[in-house]
Amino acid sequence: MMSLQNRFNKTLCLSITVAMLAIAPGCSSPQTDPSKTTIPTDSDQWQKKLGQTFEQLPAADQQVLSRYMLRMKLSEAYESGAMPRTTIKQALIQQREYERLHPNNPTGKKSPVVTGQAANATAQKYPVALLPIKTSDSDSLNQVKMQFMLSNHGDVAIQSFKGVLSMKDANLTQGKSFNVPLIQFDPAIEPEQSGKIIIESSIEDINVMRAIKNPNGMTIEIEEGTLILADDQTVEFGSSLAK
């Protein structure tokens, strides 16, 4: 009959053997390289098929792959079936090369071309009006706080604006321009809503001052500038297009 000590020794040896097999290189389960995973050609399946694989990638690769996917989504290449099956590794190589060639536009987003009739349509989509302001009783102004109202008749909220506003009036032989520094709208200007643009401006032209006091017939236009929308789309106006 086996003694208690012998049974203990056999159990101990068995446990050690199992433990050694578990950590032996030849017995460990193979690790799959996430970069070899193929990206589904159907973009609607990306989240479902690549969720766990995405989490296995280094943080830097995750960011690059995210920009690649957004670029493909914006180009509608996957929806049209124009893209071949691509591995994550190939996508990262392609995206890094694309960003090297297009450092200012890593996702390939398109900016609306605002010229000719398109410019008029865009101006109507984002009209600007002058709000009532307090002026001095004299015919000379040094500094005045100008308040403009920017309306959004587009489909996407407006996040920011920077540019030049032009004031035109029948009594003015030459329009007056107002430089607007970068303004972040908080909250963003939602479709069919309006937001304020407030700037300080020096006005010494008597006719300009009178036009401000009596704004009947006055028009305010975006002479040049850039609107950034909530979906990161950029809308350019005037000479900003050539920059």
Side-chain angles (χ1 to χ4, degrees):
M1 188 172 181
M2 184 180 293
S3 66
L4 180 61
Q5 182 64 39
N6 287 337
R7 281 185 292 180
F8 174 77
N9 290 339
K10 285 190 174 184
T11 302
L12 179 60
C13 289
L14 180 62
S15 300
I16 293 175
T17 302
V18 171
M20 292 178 66
L21 289 173
I23 63 175
C27 298
S28 60
S29 59
Q31 295 294 320
T32 303
D33 184 354
S35 68
K36 295 182 179 179
T37 302
T38 300
I39 300 175
T41 55
D42 182 358
S43 62
D44 292 335
Q45 296 296 315
W46 285 349
Q47 182 67 31
K48 178 180 179 181
K49 300 290 186 180
L50 298 178
Q52 294 182 348
T53 304
F54 183 85
E55 296 298 328
Q56 297 174 26
L57 295 171
D61 286 351
Q62 289 182 8
Q63 295 176 6
V64 175
L65 185 61
S66 294
R67 293 195 293 271
Y68 170 85
M69 291 179 167
L70 179 56
R71 183 165 66 87
M72 292 300 103
K73 189 73 173 177
L74 291 175
S75 70
E76 299 182 350
Y78 274 80
E79 283 76 358
S80 65
M83 290 297 299
R85 294 178 67 84
T86 305
T87 65
I88 289 177
K89 181 178 181 179
Q90 292 170 331
L92 293 174
I93 293 174
Q94 293 176 21
Q95 182 63 20
R96 287 191 170 100
E97 176 62 14
Y98 180 88
E99 293 182 11
R100 184 184 70 81
L101 297 174
H102 306 86
N104 297 322
N105 190 12
T107 60
K109 63 184 179 182
K110 299 177 181 178
S111 298
V113 178
V114 188
T115 57
Q117 294 181 347
N120 294 331
T122 303
Q124 294 176 7
K125 187 181 292 186
Y126 305 107
V128 180
L130 176 67
L131 293 175
I133 62 172
K134 292 182 179 180
T135 61
S136 65
D137 294 331
S138 66
D139 285 342
S140 178
L141 295 175
N142 291 322
Q143 285 293 122
V144 63
K145 181 176 290 186
M146 306 288 294
Q147 298 187 79
F148 302 92
M149 186 67 75
L150 172 63
S151 297
N152 182 8
H153 296 320
D155 300 322
V156 183
I158 301 172
Q159 286 189 327
S160 67
F161 172 73
K162 178 181 180 180
V164 178
L165 299 180
S166 176
M167 184 184 79
K168 298 179 180 180
D169 186 270
N171 297 319
L172 297 178
T173 56
Q174 185 175 357
K176 169 69 176 176
S177 295
F178 301 95
N179 291 316
V180 180
L182 178 63
I183 294 180
Q184 300 283 352
F185 298 106
D186 186 17
I189 305 176
E190 297 293 335
E192 301 309 322
Q193 299 294 324
S194 299
K196 284 185 179 181
I197 295 175
I198 303 176
I199 61 172
E200 296 281 346
S201 182
S202 176
I203 302 176
E204 296 180 353
D205 187 305
I206 294 177
N207 290 328
V208 172
M209 185 228 31
R210 288 173 177 169
I212 292 174
K213 285 185 176 180
N214 303 285
N216 294 331
M218 178 196 298
T219 59
I220 304 292
E221 298 176 354
I222 299 178
E223 183 176 322
E224 63 176 88
T226 302
L227 281 173
I228 303 297
L229 306 184
D231 61 357
D232 290 331
Q233 183 180 188
T234 302
V235 181
E236 303 280 3
F237 293 83
S239 58
S240 295
L241 291 167
K243 295 180 180 179

